[in-house]
Amino acid sequence: MLLANLTGFVPIGEARFFWEYVRDGGHRCGCREPLVGCAAWEPVVRALSASREVDMAEAARLARSLDRTRTLLLPWRRSADGGYRKLAGFTATLYETIWRLGGAGVIVDSSKVPSHLRLLEAGGRVDLRVLHLVRDGRAVAHSWSRRSKREVVTDAPGPPLPRRSILSGMARWVVENAATESLCRQGLRHTTMRFEELAVEPASTLAAALVSLGLEAAAARLTELGGSLRTAATHGIGGNPVRFAPARPVDPSEATKWRREMPRAAAWSLGCLVAPLLWRYGYEI
């Protein structure tokens, strides 16, 4: 939503849900219109439905079973034989269609899970650059345990937002960040950015990340925006209900709110459990 301020950037939300949401219907784009009827997504859906390279129903079935964190435990050969490479091809075609119809810009996919990153890498047709956004694992676990069961925007129907226990949320944080790092070390151009720094200095922090990814012109524009930088509306698929909120500056208090709400004993215990990874990202126990 911050990168939507930049001309030539096309934020698409969590693209890993595209196939399922189109099949299921009833989901809304970040612009609040039904996804299938949205002016930005309808041409994409129409083009893919007419394409000989894509089977929409099969793509939805494969995405639901394979584009999940649990598939990271599968051996690569087994997952490839099970349709992984086919789904990677469908996903690459999705990207190419968005790129062609969206003005050939920089596609920003915020799917967040490393299984989707592996899909994009396996497709071999995308100039892939990874912005690895990390947050203190205790804050993530706390958020998962307290998030609302339903989206807070009443006119945006959708499935309930899942809750996880603190331990389950922390375990997922460890697995997904470690897997992301492992994939990035296989030659992907990448950089790491901490949420806590982004919340305090969004323009300069994001600009530094873009420079690391070879996007210097975009970084310069972000620096010019500086303190006036605000989230912008996007045609985002899925994700947190914040995508329906009006444009606003980033709230620095969001980065530390968990410290006031989470019991000190729980925070300390979780910190000890995953100390090596917390230290790796510069967090104190």
Side-chain angles (χ1 to χ4, degrees):
M1 293 177 72
L2 290 172
L3 289 171
N5 288 275
L6 300 174
T7 302
F9 278 66
V10 185
I12 61 175
E14 300 189 39
R16 72 187 185 107
F17 292 120
F18 172 81
W19 311 108
E20 297 170 66
Y21 283 6
V22 169
R23 177 197 61 190
D24 297 343
H27 296 275
R28 290 187 183 270
C29 171
C31 69
R32 294 178 178 267
E33 293 296 320
L35 181 62
V36 177
C38 165
W41 285 108
E42 188 172 17
V44 175
V45 174
R46 193 184 310 120
L48 291 171
S49 299
S51 173
R52 295 182 178 180
E53 296 182 41
V54 175
D55 182 327
M56 299 284 283
E58 185 178 18
R61 179 183 63 81
L62 290 173
R64 186 166 186 81
S65 62
L66 295 177
D67 198 356
R68 296 292 189 271
T69 296
R70 62 178 178 268
T71 63
L72 296 171
L73 303 177
L74 293 175
W76 170 248
R77 183 174 299 280
R78 178 181 167 190
S79 61
D81 292 344
Y84 210 94
R85 290 193 182 279
K86 184 177 289 187
L87 179 59
F90 291 159
T91 303
T93 301
L94 168 63
Y95 264 65
E96 290 167 354
T97 304
I98 295 170
W99 188 80
R100 176 168 48 85
L101 297 177
V106 178
I107 297 174
V108 183
D109 182 348
S110 51
S111 289
K112 296 195 291 285
V113 291
S115 60
H116 194 71
L117 177 58
R118 189 168 75 169
L119 268 176
L120 296 176
E121 192 275 334
R125 289 149 55 186
V126 174
D127 176 9
L128 186 59
R129 308 185 192 196
V130 184
L131 176 49
H132 183 190
L133 177 64
V134 299
R135 188 182 185 186
D136 190 311
R138 293 162 294 188
V140 174
H142 178 69
S143 177
W144 274 112
S145 70
R146 293 176 60 87
R147 67 191 306 179
S148 172
K149 287 188 176 181
R150 293 264 174 198
E151 290 198 345
V152 295
V153 182
T154 56
D155 64 346
L161 291 173
R163 281 183 174 177
R164 295 190 177 91
S165 69
I166 289 179
L167 282 176
S168 173
M170 181 60 91
R172 191 180 184 94
W173 179 82
V174 170
V175 169
E176 292 187 342
N177 280 288
T180 298
E181 285 203 16
S182 177
L183 287 166
C184 288
R185 283 196 296 268
Q186 296 176 22
L188 295 179
R189 185 160 190 173
H190 70 281
T191 191
T192 301
M193 180 174 70
R194 298 203 318 173
F195 173 78
E196 291 79 6
E197 293 164 1
L198 178 69
V200 176
E201 295 286 347
S204 60
T205 303
L206 191 51
L210 292 181
V211 169
S212 297
L213 296 176
L215 300 169
E216 288 83 0
R221 176 57 182 149
L222 274 178
T223 302
E224 290 173 8
L225 290 170
S228 65
L229 183 63
R230 283 165 167 71
T231 58
T234 70
H235 291 285
I237 301 171
N240 193 287
V242 71
R243 70 187 186 279
F244 297 113
R248 59 183 177 83
V250 178
D251 182 1
S253 68
E254 288 295 319
T256 56
K257 184 169 65 175
W258 70 275
R259 292 186 178 274
R260 300 187 296 273
E261 297 177 350
M262 193 178 204
R264 185 180 297 270
W268 186 84
S269 299
L270 287 177
C272 291
L273 277 173
V274 298
L277 198 53
L278 286 174
W279 282 330
R280 177 173 178 81
Y281 295 135
Y283 297 114
E284 296 180 352
I285 305 304

